[in-house]
Amino acid sequence: MNFFSIQFGLFLFIFLVWLGLSVFVVASRMRHDRRKRWLGKVVSQLRELDHSPAAQPLLLTADVRTESRNPVITQLPKPLVYRTATDVAPYTPVATAFAEHALTHWGSASLMAAASWAGPGVNRWERISALCILTRAKADHIHELLFDALQDQDPDVVSNAIVFLGQLQDERAAEILVTALRLQLFLPSFIARQLEKFTIPLNDLLEPLLEVNTTQARYWAVALLARKDSEENVPLRKIARLADDPDPAVRKVVVQTLGLLGATEEALVVLKLLYDDVPFVRVHAVKALARFHWPDFRESVAAMLDDPEWRVRVAAREALAEMDQAGDTRSGAQAGDSSPMPAADETADADAAALPTLPFADFNNLGKKAPVHARPEERRS
């Protein structure tokens, strides 16, 4: 074999590889364009049906099948139907119709098999799509399937399972999320975000977390107890006991929650944290005292103007301004109205109702050792 034959064989090999890759790219693009046209046609039909006078809402439990309303949808491949059923960004009824099609065309047994299967080489996005469709349908055993998904090694499967549990909005889903928070099956802040969206009472589920050994669980339990949909029987005394927590982030969220809830009966706890060793704890203690709107605390807040930490001094100035403004408002209301002024705890409750819902700041400081600072009275001495 001469040198020319070797060169020709090498050129032929490279040409065939290039030709094969080119055919694959062109074929993939043509298949993508064809599926996109099909999907666009389905979306157009759904929009027309949705805006017609005789349009009926698409329900996963409806007897009318998707095939009868959208014949084109049956031509779409299974992966595309799964992906579209999960995606709600372009048009929500489209995702609902595709989810209905998946249930009626392939059956709930097939979807449950895809949602529960976990192993090497398994298409994780098919599993996530199946979990999403079953969550939309509120299928039987969906809670067990999502709990199994929480223990998966794939973070994408776990994070989507947490989101789907948040969409269920029932007590069983809340129990699973609280368990995941206690066991730290995923990022605690991500789980807390889903729990914060619940509108059902959660205090009975969150209260036991106040006594666990996990810092993150205690932190987010206290923070979630201050959410706007929390019922009135908040365990304020148990929250106040965490003022002696060794982690400064927990102490910070304790004083922040007491201020948000207007817990005037725990004012002495807030006053004690005014002299905490950690600056950001003192900052939130100053803000909490200002929310109580008690003139008796003005001197304590004014003393923080001499704090060596600039953030504490700024918070003290803002708190004093807020307290002065609240005092002027009460004085004006008392002068213009002969009715007696409401009690201090009633005023604090009204102020707390208008405050933001859930504090998510400073959670990155969890677990860090607190620096030691001298208290203001020790520095002056």
Side-chain angles (χ1 to χ4, degrees):
M1 182 180 293
N2 55 22
F3 182 72
F4 176 78
S5 300
I6 296 176
Q7 283 186 327
F8 179 77
L10 182 61
F11 171 79
L12 183 61
F13 173 76
I14 295 175
F15 174 77
L16 293 176
V17 171
W18 172 83
L19 182 62
L21 290 175
S22 300
V23 171
F24 173 77
V25 170
V26 172
S28 299
R29 181 63 188 183
M30 292 176 63
R31 183 176 57 179
H32 171 77
D33 293 339
R34 184 180 60 179
R35 291 178 177 179
K36 190 174 180 181
R37 288 194 300 270
W38 285 348
L39 184 59
K41 188 174 181 180
V42 173
V43 172
S44 299
Q45 291 182 356
L46 283 172
R47 288 183 184 275
E48 293 175 0
L49 289 171
D50 188 56
H51 290 87
S52 63
Q56 298 293 332
L58 293 173
L59 300 176
L60 295 177
T61 57
D63 296 331
V64 180
R65 301 198 172 210
T66 308
E67 293 94 322
S68 61
R69 300 188 63 181
N70 306 282
V72 182
I73 200 173
T74 59
Q75 304 177 29
L76 299 177
K78 186 176 181 180
L80 182 58
V81 173
Y82 273 26
R83 286 198 302 268
T84 310
T86 309
D87 185 15
V88 297
Y91 189 53
T92 303
V94 173
T96 306
F98 274 69
E100 180 186 343
H101 170 76
L103 280 171
T104 55
H105 189 70
W106 290 293
S108 59
S110 175
L111 285 167
M112 285 198 174
S116 60
W117 179 256
V122 175
N123 188 336
R124 58 179 176 178
W125 298 115
E126 183 176 350
R127 185 185 185 192
I128 292 172
S129 300
L131 287 170
C132 178
I133 295 170
L134 293 173
T135 300
R136 287 176 177 273
K138 297 187 183 299
D140 295 336
H141 309 297
I142 182 58
H143 296 90
E144 289 78 5
L145 290 171
L146 291 174
F147 184 72
D148 291 341
L150 283 178
Q151 304 172 66
D152 196 274
Q153 298 297 323
D154 193 325
D156 290 320
V157 174
V158 178
S159 61
N160 280 277
I162 292 172
V163 173
F164 299 152
L165 284 167
Q167 293 174 356
L168 289 174
Q169 289 286 311
D170 56 29
E171 186 176 358
R172 177 59 179 150
E175 290 178 0
I176 296 175
L177 286 175
V178 171
T179 302
L181 180 61
R182 178 172 56 86
L183 300 177
Q184 296 191 43
L185 298 180
F186 200 66
L187 293 175
S189 58
F190 189 81
I191 300 174
R193 295 280 184 181
Q194 301 304 318
L195 284 170
E196 199 269 340
K197 299 175 183 178
F198 275 72
T199 56
I200 63 174
L202 299 179
N203 287 7
D204 292 340
L205 298 175
L206 294 171
E207 186 175 346
L209 296 183
L210 298 175
E211 301 176 357
V212 300
N213 296 326
T214 308
T215 301
Q216 292 272 5
R218 295 196 305 273
Y219 177 93
W220 289 112
V222 175
L224 287 166
L225 286 170
R227 64 196 184 96
K228 63 180 180 180
D229 292 316
S230 182
E231 59 266 35
E232 295 181 358
N233 57 336
V234 178
L236 295 176
R237 291 187 178 180
K238 288 188 177 181
I239 294 176
R241 292 194 196 108
L242 293 177
D244 298 324
D245 195 276
D247 195 287
V250 176
R251 300 197 300 272
K252 185 272 300 182
V253 77
V254 165
V255 71
Q256 195 173 26
T257 299
L258 294 176
L260 287 170
L261 296 177
T264 54
E265 62 273 19
E266 306 296 340
L268 293 180
V269 174
V270 179
L271 189 63
K272 181 183 71 172
L273 291 176
L274 198 65
Y275 304 101
D276 194 272
D277 295 330
V278 182
F280 68 78
V281 178
R282 301 199 298 272
V283 167
H284 288 282
V286 168
K287 294 180 179 180
L289 285 179
R291 290 184 178 123
F292 292 155
H293 294 165
W294 279 12
D296 297 340
F297 293 144
R298 180 180 175 81
E299 184 177 351
S300 299
V301 174
M304 305 309 293
L305 293 173
D306 297 329
D307 194 277
E309 182 67 30
W310 67 270
R311 292 181 294 176
V312 180
R313 296 195 300 271
V314 170
R317 284 196 295 269
E318 293 176 351
L320 289 172
E322 181 180 347
M323 295 174 74
D324 292 341
Q325 184 179 3
D328 295 340
T329 302
R330 285 198 299 268
S331 299
Q334 187 176 14
D337 189 359
S338 58
S339 59
M341 187 172 65
D345 55 346
E346 295 177 356
T347 305
D349 290 339
D351 293 335
L355 292 172
T357 56
L358 180 63
F360 282 100
D362 291 332
F363 62 84
N364 290 324
N365 293 302
L366 291 175
K368 295 183 179 178
K369 186 176 180 181
V372 179
H373 297 279
R375 298 187 179 186
E377 61 268 24
E378 296 174 355
R379 299 190 196 98
R380 287 194 291 269
S381 62

